[in-house]
Amino acid sequence: MAKLSSLLYIVFFVLCVITHYSSNTVTVYNVISFGAKANGIGDSTPAFINAWAAASCASTGSTAIKVPKGRYVLGSSAFKGDCKSFDITFQIEGTLVAPADYGVLGKAKIWLSFEGVSHVTIVGGALDAKGQSLWACKLAASKNCPSGATTLSFTDSNNIRIKGLLSQNSQMFHIVLKIIAAGDSPNTDGIHVQLSSNVAITKSRIRTGDDCISIGPGTKDLWIERVECGPGHGISIGMKKAVFTGTQNGFRIKSWARPSNGFVQRVRFLGAVMNNVQNPILIIKIIAPTTSTALLRNEDSHFSSVTFQKWKTVERKLLEKVSGIKISDVIYRGIRGTSATQTAIKFYCSSKKTCTGIRLENVNLTCLDQVAQSSCTNAIGRTLGSIQPNGCL
C-alpha cells in the first residue's frame, strides 16, 4: 500500500508548543506567544515554524513547545534539525487541524515533516487531517482527486518518542496510539515503515480503511507488540500479541507481480487473537493491480474464498507476471480465534519462487457453522503442536 518514500510515515500530526519561560532546566515556548490562533480559523503555520526555530536553534538545552487547548489550523510544514537543542518535547493540549480545502494538503504529500531531527518527544493532543471530503472524491472515482497527504513524516531522524496522541481522518498514512479513519477510507494506512531499522511500535489501537501497519522496502529489525487492529486490512509483517477485530486480513504477506531480487525472511507472528477476520493467515505472492485481484476477489472480497483450482488459473493467466520476492523462515505461533470465511489459512506462492521455511505452531482457528480449512500451493514448511484447521504444509 505504501508508495511514498520516507522513513516513517506517521499520521499523528505532532506539532509545536510554544511559550517563553523557563522551568528548571527546560525552556518552554508557547505557540500563542508566536501568534498562533486557537480559534480554528486563522492560519497558525508561521507561528509554529517560528516556535520550532526558537526551541531548536535558539536554545542549547532541553526545550518544550507548548500548544494550549484550542483548534489550530496548519498548512504543510517542515521542521528541520541540525540546530543546537538536543532534547525537544511537543506538549499538545489542543487539536491541530488541516485547512478546509483538502487540495491544500493533498498536493503537498506530507502535512507535517520532521527532517534530520533527534531526541524529539510528542505528548498528547489530537490531529485532525479532515480527510473525509478527499475520501469521498476517491470513492467516487473522480480523476481530479489529489493523492492526499501523509499526516506526519520523520526522515533521517532518531530517538523519536510519541505518547498519548490521537490521529483522525487522515488523507493518507497515519500512525500510533489512537488512529481513527472510516473503514472505507482509501489508502489510509495506519502506520507505514520503510527504509528504517530498529523501529518499535507498541500499545497502539488502529482503526482505518487500509492496512493497520504496512511495511515497505529497506525495513530491518522492526518490533510490533500489543496492537489492536480493526477495522482495516490487517498487518503486513510480523508482530507479537495483537488483536484483530472484523478486519479483511489478520497476518498478511503480499508481493506484487513483477520481477525482483528482493526477499522477506525471519518474520515472526506471535500470540494473536482473531475475531471474525476474513483471512486470519495469508501469504499471497501474485498480486497485480488489475488481473489477479479481479480474478481472486469474490463476494467476500480480498481473497476470502480462494481455492487451489482458482489459484492455478490465476498463475496460468498471469504467466510470467509472478512476484520475484523470495519468502522464507516465517513462523506463526500461538494464534487463536475465529475466521469469517471457511479457509482460515491460505499460503499461495508462485511456482518459480516457492515459499520455504513456513512454520505453524499451536494455531487454533475456527469458523462459525463450518469446518475451518487451510489451503496451500507452492509452500513448504511444517507444523508443531496443536493445529486447527489441519495444516496443508
Side-chain angles (χ1 to χ4, degrees), residues 300-345:
D300 292 320
S301 81
H302 276 75
F303 332 120
S304 55
S305 299
V306 179
T307 63
F308 177 84
Q309 291 74 18
K310 185 179 291 186
W311 177 255
K312 297 308 291 182
T313 299
V314 170
E315 267 204 315
R316 285 195 298 271
K317 285 182 177 292
L318 287 174
L319 299 176
E320 299 301 321
K321 295 181 180 179
V322 296
S323 170
I325 298 294
K326 175 65 176 176
I327 298 176
S328 63
D329 191 9
V330 182
I331 296 176
Y332 303 86
R333 178 186 299 145
I335 300 168
R336 59 186 173 85
T338 57
S339 174
T341 58
Q342 187 173 17
T343 308
I345 299 174

Side-chain angles (χ1 to χ4, degrees), residues 18-23 26-30 63-66 91:
I18 315 163
T19 311
H20 198 282
Y21 65 87
S22 294
S23 175
V26 179
T27 301
V28 181
Y29 298 86
N30 190 314
T63 60
I65 302 172
K66 182 178 180 181
Q91 300 172 346

Side-chain angles (χ1 to χ4, degrees), residues 159-382:
N159 292 307
I160 307 300
R161 301 179 63 190
I162 299 173
K163 180 179 181 180
L165 179 66
L166 169 65
S167 174
Q168 58 188 7
N169 302 320
S170 167
Q171 288 190 355
M172 279 286 283
F173 301 146
H174 65 165
I175 169 178
V176 217
L177 303 184
K178 294 181 181 177
I179 295 172
I180 302 172
D184 60 352
S185 55
N187 300 115
T188 53
D189 289 28
I191 302 172
H192 176 69
V193 184
Q194 70 180 45
L195 301 173
S196 305
S197 60
N198 298 308
V199 176
I201 301 169
T202 64
K203 298 180 181 178
S204 301
R205 182 178 182 183
I206 304 171
R207 292 180 284 167
T208 190
D210 217 300
D211 290 356
C212 288
I213 301 176
S214 62
I215 312 301
T219 301
K220 297 190 300 181
D221 297 324
L222 171 65
W223 183 263
I224 305 170
E225 184 173 358
R226 297 184 184 276
V227 170
E228 295 182 29
C229 171
H233 288 185
I235 294 177
S236 299
I237 210 69
M239 65 183 306
K240 181 179 180 180
K241 295 182 179 178
V243 177
F244 298 84
T245 302
T247 56
Q248 284 187 345
N249 307 294
F251 294 136
R252 176 180 64 172
I253 298 176
K254 68 175 185 179
S255 59
W256 294 99
R258 59 171 66 105
S260 174
N261 293 320
F263 60 87
V264 176
Q265 65 183 24
R266 291 185 55 79
V267 179
R268 304 293 183 261
F269 297 106
L270 310 174
V273 176
M274 306 285 175
N275 297 316
N276 199 37
V277 174
Q278 288 186 30
N279 302 298
I281 295 177
L282 173 66
I283 294 179
I284 181 118
K285 279 196 62 183
I286 297 182
I287 303 288
T290 54
T291 308
S292 65
T293 49
L295 286 166
L296 290 172
R297 282 178 178 161
N298 58 13
E299 67 278 3
D300 292 320
S301 81
H302 276 75
F303 332 120
S304 55
S305 299
V306 179
T307 63
F308 177 84
Q309 291 74 18
K310 185 179 291 186
W311 177 255
K312 297 308 291 182
T313 299
V314 170
E315 267 204 315
R316 285 195 298 271
K317 285 182 177 292
L318 287 174
L319 299 176
E320 299 301 321
K321 295 181 180 179
V322 296
S323 170
I325 298 294
K326 175 65 176 176
I327 298 176
S328 63
D329 191 9
V330 182
I331 296 176
Y332 303 86
R333 178 186 299 145
I335 300 168
R336 59 186 173 85
T338 57
S339 174
T341 58
Q342 187 173 17
T343 308
I345 299 174
K346 305 180 181 79
F347 296 134
Y348 297 130
C349 303
S350 64
S351 57
K352 291 193 174 181
K353 285 196 175 180
T354 59
C355 299
T356 60
I358 310 299
R359 197 162 79 200
L360 296 170
E361 301 180 12
N362 297 318
V363 174
N364 186 2
L365 295 169
T366 60
C367 180
L368 295 177
D369 302 323
Q370 300 182 83
V371 177
Q373 298 178 357
S374 62
S375 180
C376 304
T377 182
N378 300 315
I380 301 172
R382 60 183 179 135

Side-chain angles (χ1 to χ4, degrees), residues 123-134:
V123 180
L127 315 175
D128 186 355
K130 303 179 74 172
Q132 298 96 322
S133 55
L134 179 56

